[in-house]
Amino acid sequence: MIRTFSLKAILFIICVTLLCGGDIYAETADSNSNDDGYRLWLKYDKISDANRLEEYRSVVSAVSVRGESQTCDIIRNELKIALGGLLDKDIPFTDSIKDSCLIIGTPANCKEIKKLCKTLSLKTIGNEGFVIKSTKLKGKDAIIVAANKDIGLLYGTFAFLRLLQRQQSIQNLDIVSQPKIQYRLLNHWDNLDGTVERGYAGRSLWKWDELPGTIDRRYYDYARANASIGINGTVLNNVNANPDLLKPEYLKKVAALADVFRPYGIKVYLSVNFSSPISAKFKLESSRRGGIGNLQTSDPMDPNVRRWWKDKAAEIYKLIPDFGGFLVKSSSEGMPGPQEYNRTHVDGANMLAEALEPHGGIVMWRSFVYDAEIDPDRAKRNYKEFVPLDGKFAKNVFVQSKNGPIDFQPREPVAPIFGAMPDTPSMLELQITQEYLGHSKHLVYLAPMWKEYLEFDTYAKGQSSTLAKIIDGSLQGQKMTGMAGVSNIGNNRNWTGHLFAQANWYAFGRLSWDHSLSAEEIADEWVRATLTNNDEAVGTIKSMMLGSWEACVNYMTPLGLHHIMQEGFHYGPQPQLDTAAREDWNSVYYHRADANGLGFDRTCTGSGAVSQCFGPVCERFNDVNACPEKYLLWFHHVPWDRKMQSERTLWNELCLRYNAGAQYVDKMISDWQSVEKYIKPELYEHVAKKLQTQKKDAGIWRDTCIGYFQKFNKRLIPDFK
């Protein structure tokens, strides 16, 4: 029996269509329309390779998706759109296994898959993993996408479609995949007024004034895009949290978003303000006890405060049974925390954990703290506050730490807090939005940066103690694992402001699923799905992407320089800044340029920050001759005339690095021009204009910084030719 969709699927799609005011996936269906970037990497344009097209049409001649859940309905809809576009042909859907060549199901809803369980490795892949395998059923060649749960089928479906998008062979498939990280979250720094802190792609996606009554179509497209790369959670609001979001009327709006995201395997989380119980705006309307809300304290050891949070958690879970939990920025940059009551981070985090634990929720307690009273060197402060607390946090608490010890700089060494808290789950926080990397104006592919961090050997338990092994739990036996990415998404038509910034959203999802993937492989996937499948053009574009981060480091902060951006805005250079409200917001605090040299001395005879690293790393960074030059000025104050590995002086090397970064932008412009004929005109022009802005900015960075540092050393600028 051939069918297009089950009755339940039809009703589901009609419902969604009515809610959205139109066809939910209209943007993905018309490959001939102007391409403004809205379709992301889910374009499904017709396969350009004629041989591959014929192979795919012969192998995928009919499809059977078992299961009647909303997630299975989404799979059917995705396959209908994708196969219709990629194969330029309507592929029939069937209830019959014997009529189908692509079979998608679980042991619970497909007896053929249940029979094959022993050969499909399903016992080892958990609830989110999947298997894609070529086999024979009743003497007929078939491809099976199998999983233990429907969400695994959705992930497996997207993985199968990636093969088609990349025009890979689908003969003899034997793919087994499961996420290496349990919690794979986007952190949105979105505010209730629609603004986005460190957002460079328009306003917030969340239309709080319209929710819960009106469900924007983009909510579904957002969830679909995240599911396609394995992201399974989203924190909806800014870590500088507004207490109003916990009011009943807003929680109903959050619940409406959770209902949209749930079939895509995405849970919602909220950033919470630690002082919410003392907000005059609050009253727990659902409280059975009365009198809770409008409290006089937020002391985490106060019984009424603890009860307030327990009741608030119960209220949330009544509306959102699968609510994920709380993200907390505490005692940092003006945000309140338990220290105001002479309590510790443990006291605050564990109070919230106690409220969430009966419901299965988690707390993500950020370690982004830098109280100047803790230590004169900002790079040491979060380590000194948190490491003594190891083992004291509740089992459902993450300590969420930025990749480096300062603040999402173009390049930092790995934060030494990772590995130093073996009895506490560590969540890695990366920044997808390019706060310090040219916002949405510069083409900077971040996967190489993230791979450098993930592959960094901390020596926490001897050699091969990489950051990846710490956050995936394999090194120190943690069962709760997580990665968070600060989102670069806004309401711009292309989602991220810069087309190539989409690649960073994509790369974060792919690396949080499997951190062993290479930056090159991820770039290949994204380019082929988003721009072109022409091999020569793909190679050129990948080369642009793979060198773009190092180039940005060079024209902004080479050789370990850091935090010399414009005050507050963090876009252009301001190495002269010395008037900020805090000493550690000044550029001069970090680069310490003088007539003798440049750099922050963090050696054992300086601030001592190197001592927070494990033995071999400490020794290497402490020795000016052994310290990698990419971190040199992070750890050492280096004389201007010191000979570098290139045999050039520090000054000459610094100047040449600045110039090399700027010249790389010229190369990207030339490379982009060379692939123009393979790129949709609208996308080509969009990127070309961005590259011209980047060229101008890179020159400003180079000239400003070199000119400023020259005032100290009085040396000639070397010939850049």
Side-chain angles (χ1 to χ4, degrees), residues 599-636:
F600 197 126
D601 184 358
R602 292 190 170 100
T603 66
C604 292
T605 56
S607 77
V610 291
S611 65
Q612 292 181 341
C613 302
F614 291 95
V617 180
C618 173
E619 293 171 10
R620 186 167 76 253
F621 287 165
N622 191 61
D623 183 348
V624 70
N625 296 310
C627 183
E629 288 188 348
K630 61 187 176 183
Y631 304 133
L632 185 64
L633 302 179
W634 186 284
F635 289 106
H636 297 271

Side-chain angles (χ1 to χ4, degrees), residues 321-607:
D322 58 349
F323 178 70
F326 296 145
L327 173 64
V328 187
K329 179 179 179 179
S330 169
S331 301
S332 177
E333 299 181 327
M335 294 302 292
Q339 284 85 342
E340 295 180 16
Y341 306 97
N342 295 316
R343 309 299 186 186
T344 69
H345 292 289
V346 167
D347 295 328
N350 286 358
M351 174 194 67
L352 296 177
E354 181 182 49
L356 294 171
E357 193 276 333
H359 311 281
I362 64 169
V363 174
M364 297 161 285
W365 193 270
R366 296 177 86 231
S367 72
F368 182 61
V369 295
Y370 55 98
D371 183 351
E373 295 182 4
I374 298 297
D375 194 278
D377 185 354
R378 174 171 163 174
K380 297 170 63 180
R381 294 170 188 166
N382 75 333
Y383 181 103
K384 293 184 74 171
E385 278 202 52
F386 275 87
V387 171
L389 304 176
D390 184 36
K392 299 178 181 179
F393 290 95
K395 64 181 181 179
N396 58 328
V397 174
F398 276 111
V399 169
Q400 180 170 312
S401 301
K402 295 184 178 184
N403 49 272
I406 295 294
D407 187 14
F408 296 135
Q409 295 302 291
R411 173 177 269 134
E412 300 185 47
V414 168
I417 195 172
F418 288 106
M421 300 183 69
D423 296 320
T424 304
S426 294
M427 179 175 279
L428 172 63
E429 180 177 315
L430 302 172
Q431 191 184 65
I432 308 172
T433 192
Q434 296 167 221
E435 177 183 353
Y436 294 95
L437 288 147
H439 297 187
S440 63
K441 297 181 180 180
H442 292 201
L443 192 167
V444 185
Y445 177 50
L446 299 181
M449 172 203 275
W450 298 333
K451 287 292 290 186
E452 181 171 288
Y453 286 110
L454 290 164
E455 294 173 355
F456 182 87
D457 196 344
T458 68
Y459 280 81
K461 291 183 71 174
Q463 195 170 7
S464 298
S465 299
T466 62
L467 177 61
K469 291 181 179 179
I470 292 169
I471 64 163
D472 72 11
S474 62
L475 184 71
Q476 296 170 324
Q478 295 295 345
K479 295 181 179 179
M480 197 167 74
T481 62
M483 278 179 65
V486 180
S487 167
N488 63 349
I489 301 165
N491 71 349
N492 278 11
R493 280 292 297 172
N494 74 0
W495 299 87
T496 57
H498 195 308
L499 178 74
F500 276 82
Q502 294 179 2
N504 295 329
W505 176 11
Y506 183 91
F508 172 79
R510 297 292 286 129
L511 283 173
S512 64
W513 179 278
D514 183 358
H515 54 64
S516 71
L517 293 171
S518 70
E520 182 176 7
E521 182 178 359
I522 294 169
D524 189 272
E525 290 179 1
W526 181 81
V527 172
R528 291 183 184 277
T530 308
L531 294 171
T532 178
N533 253 298
N534 177 271
D535 289 337
E536 182 178 354
V538 169
T540 298
I541 297 169
K542 283 197 302 182
S543 178
M544 289 171 54
M545 295 170 67
L546 292 168
S548 62
W549 168 56
E550 195 68 47
C552 184
V553 171
N554 279 336
Y555 66 68
M556 287 186 177
T557 53
L559 299 173
L561 287 172
H562 49 290
H563 221 304
I564 58 176
M565 289 75 180
Q566 289 171 326
E567 182 180 11
F569 193 46
H570 297 165
Y571 181 71
Q574 197 176 7
Q576 74 277 14
L577 178 63
D578 64 357
T579 57
R582 290 179 54 133
E583 182 186 28
D584 52 12
W585 290 349
N586 286 309
S587 299
V588 298
Y589 169 86
Y590 295 98
H591 64 67
R592 310 211 166 189
D594 57 27
N596 297 318
L598 181 66
F600 197 126
D601 184 358
R602 292 190 170 100
T603 66
C604 292
T605 56
S607 77

Side-chain angles (χ1 to χ4, degrees), residues 309-327:
W309 282 107
K310 287 180 180 179
D311 283 0
K312 179 55 66 176
E315 180 185 357
I316 293 171
Y317 279 96
K318 186 176 181 179
L319 290 167
I320 312 168
D322 58 349
F323 178 70
F326 296 145
L327 173 64

